[in-house]
Amino acid sequence: MKKYMGKTLVTILIMGCLLFAGRKGLAGLETANEERYLQKIFPYLLPGSTTFTLEMSVEAAEESQADNGAEVAGGPQTDNGTELAAASSAGEGGETEPVGEEIIPEEGEEAAEEEEIIRFVYRGETGYVICTVTQGYVDEIELLVGVDDSGKVKGLCVYGQHETFGLGAASQTNVPFLQQYLGTSGEAQTGTTVDALTGATVSSKAVTKGVNAAVAYVTGADISSGATSWGG
Amino acid sequence: MKKLTSKLKINETMMLALVMGITLIIMVLLKTFLAAAILIRLNIPNLAGLSLLSLLLTHYLGEKKSSHPVMNLVFAALIFGCLPWLAGLASVKEALWLAGVGGVEYTLISGMFASMTDRMECTIRSRLAPVCSAFVLFMAFQGFGNILL
């Protein structure tokens, strides 16, 4: 019995060490490969731009949240340095406000909620490529959305999903479905302006929410209202 | 191969650790070198597939001795919980979920697999009996695809 347990524990230990070492050793390479892949597809998502620089990442957002007491959402900087879309702060009157020291708690909550949707943002010459994460039917759906400076969607693709095969998974490959979002400026709504995928309303709503969140990041619109916990 | 594995005396849980470890190594490599690849999710049907694969390999290549269910539960929980976390493919919360669900699942599957294979081997003397049992159990566990996510 002791021998049996010992052998199993040694095997688990060896496998664990191998995996941990592999993960640590390949971490840099993984980041470099992902960056290379993203740089390769960005020009298709945002035609007219050739160079893309990282403007905001999850780590940076978390750091800024920690620094500012978890109430400030990062937004794109214009050339003169004005904060364009501090999540909900510019939502009501279309005003652009720099991130202030005093933030009303409700707004802060909304900002944090919206920021959870955005994973990273890259700045191109003509706009932004934004990676959004929304809850689909099975798991989170990651979207890459190209939005130009005027707030129009120029391209999008599903970067990661685990939706049901044959139903929600089609959100990644169904070109006519994805094409519906091109040219929208945050007004996309599943069931009215956008036809949902057959048998995958929740996944379709999640894609819509992701696209609208990306546009809202650029324009500063408030998208938190009307969103359900399952996206849409 | 058979000679090597019988010499090493690979038991059920050792085989599970090997199968899970190799699968996770492949996933880590895919994640590193194919940035666009969407990796499989460690959910109930996929955990069942891994459990059945390890049981099949043990049946053909490993030790014939079956272990105690409680020990199976503990080791399976350790394997399904720790290895994905160490590979960076699961957060602490997910690892705990995997440990709980994976441990119970493996214990159930190993019991059902053993009894089904024994029963089939009593009536139909075939080397394919374990494969048939594994296939039936794998199909049965597909029904849990959208449960306990």
Side-chain angles (χ1 to χ4, degrees), chain A residues 4 7-8 33 139 162, chain B residues 9 13 32 39 41 67 71:
Chain A
Y4 179 97
K7 272 180 1 183
T8 309
N33 280 339
D139 202 358
H162 290 103
Chain B
K9 289 187 179 164
T13 41
T32 306
L39 302 176
R41 230 171 144 251
S67 52
M71 223 148 74

Side-chain angles (χ1 to χ4, degrees), chain A residues 6-134:
Chain A
K7 272 180 1 183
T8 309
L9 281 172
V10 167
T11 315
I12 296 171
L13 204 68
I14 292 169
M15 280 297 162
C17 289
L18 267 176
L19 287 165
F20 188 72
R23 168 197 167 190
K24 288 287 171 198
L26 295 170
L29 196 59
E30 186 193 328
T31 316
N33 280 339
E34 192 182 7
E35 177 72 23
R36 201 175 304 137
Y37 170 74
L38 289 173
Q39 292 290 346
K40 213 166 107 182
I41 61 165
F42 281 164
Y44 295 101
L45 297 172
L46 194 64
S49 295
T50 48
T51 50
F52 297 87
T53 48
L54 185 67
E55 177 144 311
M56 190 197 93
S57 65
V58 176
E59 293 78 23
E62 278 168 2
E63 275 171 26
S64 79
Q65 264 197 347
D67 291 345
N68 298 318
E71 74 263 296
V72 176
Q77 299 282 329
T78 54
D79 292 336
N80 57 12
T82 316
E83 191 82 12
L84 255 183
S88 58
S89 65
E92 303 282 312
E95 292 172 12
T96 57
E97 288 177 19
V99 179
E101 287 173 9
E102 270 186 51
I103 289 175
I104 303 162
E106 287 83 27
E107 287 187 345
E109 280 164 22
E110 280 176 15
E113 188 184 309
E114 186 175 319
E115 192 167 6
E116 281 175 5
I117 293 175
I118 304 213
R119 202 182 129 206
F120 58 75
V121 179
Y122 276 80
R123 178 81 168 107
E125 290 98 327
T126 57
Y128 298 87
V129 177
I130 299 157
C131 179
T132 61
V133 182
T134 46

